[in-house]
mmCIF file of all heavy atoms in Angstrom:
data_model
loop_
_atom_site.group_PDB
_atom_site.id
_atom_site.type_symbol
_atom_site.label_atom_id
_atom_site.label_comp_id
_atom_site.label_asym_id
_atom_site.label_seq_id
_atom_site.Cartn_x
_atom_site.Cartn_y
_atom_site.Cartn_z
ATOM 1 N N LEU M 112 -163.650 -26.654 -126.943
ATOM 2 C CA LEU M 112 -164.488 -27.869 -126.955
ATOM 3 C C LEU M 112 -163.472 -29.097 -126.910
ATOM 4 O O LEU M 112 -162.469 -29.125 -127.597
ATOM 5 C CB LEU M 112 -165.232 -28.042 -128.232
ATOM 6 C CG LEU M 112 -166.167 -26.901 -128.567
ATOM 7 C CD1 LEU M 112 -166.940 -27.252 -129.797
ATOM 8 C CD2 LEU M 112 -167.239 -26.707 -127.477
ATOM 9 N N SER M 115 -162.376 -35.193 -127.732
ATOM 10 C CA SER M 115 -161.630 -36.510 -127.539
ATOM 11 C C SER M 115 -162.675 -37.599 -127.195
ATOM 12 O O SER M 115 -162.457 -38.716 -127.523
ATOM 13 C CB SER M 115 -160.624 -36.466 -126.437
ATOM 14 O OG SER M 115 -161.146 -36.017 -125.195
ATOM 15 N N VAL M 116 -163.915 -37.255 -126.727
ATOM 16 C CA VAL M 116 -164.860 -38.139 -126.487
ATOM 17 C C VAL M 116 -165.488 -38.825 -127.586
ATOM 18 O O VAL M 116 -166.034 -39.900 -127.569
ATOM 19 C CB VAL M 116 -166.161 -37.459 -125.678
ATOM 20 C CG1 VAL M 116 -165.786 -36.939 -124.298
ATOM 21 C CG2 VAL M 116 -166.779 -36.276 -126.418
ATOM 22 N N LYS M 118 -163.402 -39.734 -130.203
ATOM 23 C CA LYS M 118 -162.181 -40.171 -130.978
ATOM 24 C C LYS M 118 -162.315 -41.681 -131.306
ATOM 25 O O LYS M 118 -161.758 -42.169 -132.244
ATOM 26 C CB LYS M 118 -161.006 -39.976 -130.170
ATOM 27 C CG LYS M 118 -160.749 -40.672 -128.934
ATOM 28 C CD LYS M 118 -159.446 -40.425 -128.249
ATOM 29 C CE LYS M 118 -159.266 -40.992 -126.920
ATOM 30 N NZ LYS M 118 -157.955 -40.841 -126.358
ATOM 31 N N GLN M 151 -165.178 -19.715 -131.596
ATOM 32 C CA GLN M 151 -165.594 -18.431 -131.300
ATOM 33 C C GLN M 151 -166.770 -18.046 -132.099
ATOM 34 O O GLN M 151 -166.832 -18.313 -133.351
ATOM 35 C CB GLN M 151 -164.542 -17.343 -131.445
ATOM 36 C CG GLN M 151 -164.924 -15.951 -131.020
ATOM 37 C CD GLN M 151 -163.775 -14.969 -131.143
ATOM 38 O OE1 GLN M 151 -163.167 -14.946 -132.327
ATOM 39 N NE2 GLN M 151 -163.558 -14.148 -130.238
ATOM 40 N N PRO M 155 -176.284 -17.606 -130.102
ATOM 41 C CA PRO M 155 -177.189 -18.332 -131.067
ATOM 42 C C PRO M 155 -176.491 -19.384 -131.939
ATOM 43 O O PRO M 155 -176.971 -20.454 -132.195
ATOM 44 C CB PRO M 155 -178.026 -17.366 -131.805
ATOM 45 C CG PRO M 155 -177.958 -16.056 -130.871
ATOM 46 C CD PRO M 155 -176.582 -16.126 -130.222
ATOM 47 N N SER M 176 -177.175 -49.054 -127.965
ATOM 48 C CA SER M 176 -178.419 -49.791 -127.368
ATOM 49 C C SER M 176 -178.912 -50.862 -128.320
ATOM 50 O O SER M 176 -179.172 -51.906 -127.857
ATOM 51 C CB SER M 176 -179.534 -48.741 -127.123
ATOM 52 O OG SER M 176 -180.598 -49.324 -126.577
ATOM 53 N N ASN M 202 -178.718 -45.078 -119.930
ATOM 54 C CA ASN M 202 -179.799 -45.135 -118.839
ATOM 55 C C ASN M 202 -179.308 -44.106 -117.709
ATOM 56 O O ASN M 202 -180.119 -43.419 -117.129
ATOM 57 C CB ASN M 202 -180.035 -46.456 -118.393
ATOM 58 C CG ASN M 202 -180.750 -47.199 -119.344
ATOM 59 O OD1 ASN M 202 -181.431 -46.802 -120.219
ATOM 60 N ND2 ASN M 202 -180.633 -48.575 -119.292
ATOM 61 N N ARG M 230 -190.689 -16.468 -114.496
ATOM 62 C CA ARG M 230 -191.624 -17.528 -114.881
ATOM 63 C C ARG M 230 -190.968 -18.432 -116.011
ATOM 64 O O ARG M 230 -191.284 -19.636 -116.129
ATOM 65 C CB ARG M 230 -193.022 -17.058 -115.257
ATOM 66 C CG ARG M 230 -193.735 -16.575 -114.086
ATOM 67 C CD ARG M 230 -195.181 -15.999 -114.478
ATOM 68 N NE ARG M 230 -195.944 -15.466 -113.394
ATOM 69 C CZ ARG M 230 -197.304 -15.177 -113.513
ATOM 70 N NH1 ARG M 230 -197.854 -15.219 -114.600
ATOM 71 N NH2 ARG M 230 -197.860 -14.680 -112.438
ATOM 72 N N LYS M 235 -192.767 -25.939 -115.782
ATOM 73 C CA LYS M 235 -194.180 -26.105 -115.540
ATOM 74 C C LYS M 235 -194.574 -27.373 -116.186
ATOM 75 O O LYS M 235 -193.894 -27.869 -117.173
ATOM 76 C CB LYS M 235 -195.068 -25.018 -115.844
ATOM 77 C CG LYS M 235 -194.783 -24.667 -117.438
ATOM 78 C CD LYS M 235 -195.601 -23.408 -117.876
ATOM 79 C CE LYS M 235 -195.406 -23.157 -119.430
ATOM 80 N NZ LYS M 235 -196.143 -21.961 -119.747
ATOM 81 N N SER M 266 -190.895 -27.022 -126.398
ATOM 82 C CA SER M 266 -191.565 -25.720 -126.318
ATOM 83 C C SER M 266 -190.884 -24.748 -125.383
ATOM 84 O O SER M 266 -190.655 -23.624 -125.698
ATOM 85 C CB SER M 266 -193.011 -25.871 -126.063
ATOM 86 O OG SER M 266 -193.656 -24.667 -125.969
ATOM 87 N N LEU M 278 -182.823 -10.551 -125.989
ATOM 88 C CA LEU M 278 -181.977 -9.911 -124.990
ATOM 89 C C LEU M 278 -180.390 -9.746 -125.470
ATOM 90 O O LEU M 278 -179.877 -8.742 -125.059
ATOM 91 C CB LEU M 278 -182.070 -10.610 -123.616
ATOM 92 C CG LEU M 278 -183.431 -10.695 -123.085
ATOM 93 C CD1 LEU M 278 -183.440 -11.573 -121.768
ATOM 94 C CD2 LEU M 278 -183.851 -9.363 -122.646
ATOM 95 N N ARG M 286 -169.228 -2.501 -115.983
ATOM 96 C CA ARG M 286 -168.656 -3.132 -114.793
ATOM 97 C C ARG M 286 -167.948 -1.961 -114.101
ATOM 98 O O ARG M 286 -167.057 -1.251 -114.705
ATOM 99 C CB ARG M 286 -167.705 -4.212 -115.120
ATOM 100 C CG ARG M 286 -166.962 -4.679 -113.937
ATOM 101 C CD ARG M 286 -166.090 -5.811 -114.231
ATOM 102 N NE ARG M 286 -166.865 -7.098 -114.553
ATOM 103 C CZ ARG M 286 -166.435 -8.291 -114.823
ATOM 104 N NH1 ARG M 286 -165.083 -8.488 -114.931
ATOM 105 N NH2 ARG M 286 -167.224 -9.236 -115.058
ATOM 106 N N GLU M 305 -178.051 1.308 -104.871
ATOM 107 C CA GLU M 305 -179.332 1.097 -104.262
ATOM 108 C C GLU M 305 -180.352 2.161 -104.437
ATOM 109 O O GLU M 305 -181.585 1.849 -104.717
ATOM 110 C CB GLU M 305 -179.165 0.637 -102.734
ATOM 111 C CG GLU M 305 -178.479 -0.736 -102.564
ATOM 112 C CD GLU M 305 -179.347 -1.897 -103.086
ATOM 113 O OE1 GLU M 305 -180.495 -1.834 -102.987
ATOM 114 O OE2 GLU M 305 -178.875 -2.760 -103.621
ATOM 115 N N ARG M 306 -179.929 3.375 -104.281
ATOM 116 C CA ARG M 306 -180.775 4.516 -104.332
ATOM 117 C C ARG M 306 -181.290 4.694 -105.850
ATOM 118 O O ARG M 306 -182.381 5.278 -105.992
ATOM 119 C CB ARG M 306 -179.998 5.867 -103.893
ATOM 120 C CG ARG M 306 -179.814 5.847 -102.493
ATOM 121 C CD ARG M 306 -179.388 7.294 -101.986
ATOM 122 N NE ARG M 306 -178.226 7.753 -102.625
ATOM 123 C CZ ARG M 306 -177.034 7.501 -102.002
ATOM 124 N NH1 ARG M 306 -176.884 6.921 -100.770
ATOM 125 N NH2 ARG M 306 -175.826 7.911 -102.477
#
Side-chain angles (χ1 to χ4, degrees):
L112 304 182
S115 62
V116 294
K118 66 181 180 180
Q151 184 178 43
S176 181
N202 291 337
R230 292 185 179 180
K235 58 182 178 180
S266 177
L278 296 176
R286 177 173 294 182
E305 287 297 323
R306 287 195 296 269

